[in-house]
Amino acid sequence: MKSSALYQGLNQLTHSRHHRKEMALMVLENPKLIASLLKIAFQDDAPISSKACWVLEFVAKDRLDLLLPYLSIFTRQIGSVHRDASIRPLAKICEYFTKSYFVENDIATRNAFTNEDLEQITKVCFDWLIGEHKVAAKAYSMTCLLLLGQKFKWIHPELRLVLEQNYHRGSAAYQARARQILAKIS
């Protein structure tokens, strides 16, 4: 599959789980397409960018290691995305990365990340948590920040403050995740 075929495939992509998985399988069969997929994903002014993010999420779920060579591109660009349809899958990818780094203690992931990459994910997750975003992005951000707090000790007190201040305004799903995170911080 070439970049032009990737672009055409993304244009025809629907939100169905089956179609997203099918497109991700094509990328998994040709990992060189990840660079093109990332480029499209970060063209935030183009509606197709969200579709690229959906596919990236499925690729990351199956083979997170394939994104590691592009980690610095990913972490530098995620803060520039503003479409909710793109932010949710990007937040999920951040959660995959932080779980791989902190929970699974994956050597390849730990070696790929720099402090700057971790700090960038921290910044973006706080932005998503505080900003006017959907609950899924906020929930993934909470998990990322909980894990990142193992490395950066200042995160847990700040996360606690944000969750306590916004708890009463959050949806039931937000409140449930916030309770879980607050219990783990204590």
Side-chain angles (χ1 to χ4, degrees):
M1 179 188 253
K2 295 183 178 179
S3 292
S4 58
L6 174 67
Y7 203 88
Q8 183 179 2
L10 289 172
N11 271 325
Q12 296 172 357
L13 186 67
T14 68
H15 196 266
S16 86
R17 185 170 186 79
H18 172 75
H19 287 140
R20 289 180 287 156
K21 184 153 184 78
E22 196 173 85
M23 190 75 183
L25 287 173
M26 286 189 260
V27 174
L28 289 167
E29 290 171 3
N30 190 355
K32 292 179 182 178
L33 289 173
I34 292 174
S36 298
L37 194 58
L38 281 166
K39 186 176 181 182
I40 296 167
F42 292 122
Q43 294 173 348
D44 194 47
D45 56 335
I48 196 172
S49 64
S50 296
K51 293 179 178 187
C53 291
W54 301 344
V55 174
L56 274 172
E57 177 190 355
F58 274 69
V59 169
K61 182 179 182 190
D62 287 348
R63 293 282 314 274
L64 187 62
D65 62 301
L66 294 177
L67 296 183
L68 292 175
Y70 308 97
L71 184 60
S72 63
I73 293 167
F74 178 84
T75 60
R76 279 183 300 196
Q77 302 269 343
I78 54 175
S80 67
V81 175
H82 302 292
R83 291 176 174 272
D84 276 330
S86 297
I87 289 173
R88 193 213 55 76
L90 293 176
K92 185 64 176 177
I93 294 169
C94 288
E95 185 181 73
Y96 289 147
F97 275 135
T98 55
K99 283 183 173 180
S100 178
Y101 188 99
F102 293 101
V103 177
E104 297 159 16
N105 209 13
D106 181 78
I107 298 299
T109 302
R110 293 184 72 83
N111 288 338
F113 266 89
T114 65
N115 276 347
E116 186 178 323
D117 294 325
L118 294 170
E119 289 167 359
Q120 187 59 32
I121 288 178
T122 301
K123 177 190 176 303
V124 171
C125 284
F126 268 117
D127 288 346
W128 290 336
L129 184 57
I130 295 167
E132 295 296 321
H133 299 288
K134 296 192 178 190
V135 71
K138 290 178 181 284
Y140 299 143
S141 294
M142 288 180 209
T143 300
C144 292
L145 292 167
L146 173 69
L147 295 171
L148 286 157
Q150 294 175 30
K151 183 163 181 77
F152 304 114
K153 298 304 178 199
W154 64 268
I155 291 176
H156 285 169
E158 291 297 317
L159 179 57
R160 174 188 301 283
L161 184 64
V162 170
L163 295 178
E164 288 173 349
Q165 285 177 346
N166 295 319
Y167 184 83
H168 67 282
R169 290 181 291 195
S171 67
Y174 178 96
Q175 290 177 356
R177 180 65 67 98
R179 278 192 305 275
Q180 289 175 340
I181 300 298
L182 287 167
K184 289 178 181 180
I185 291 174
S186 296

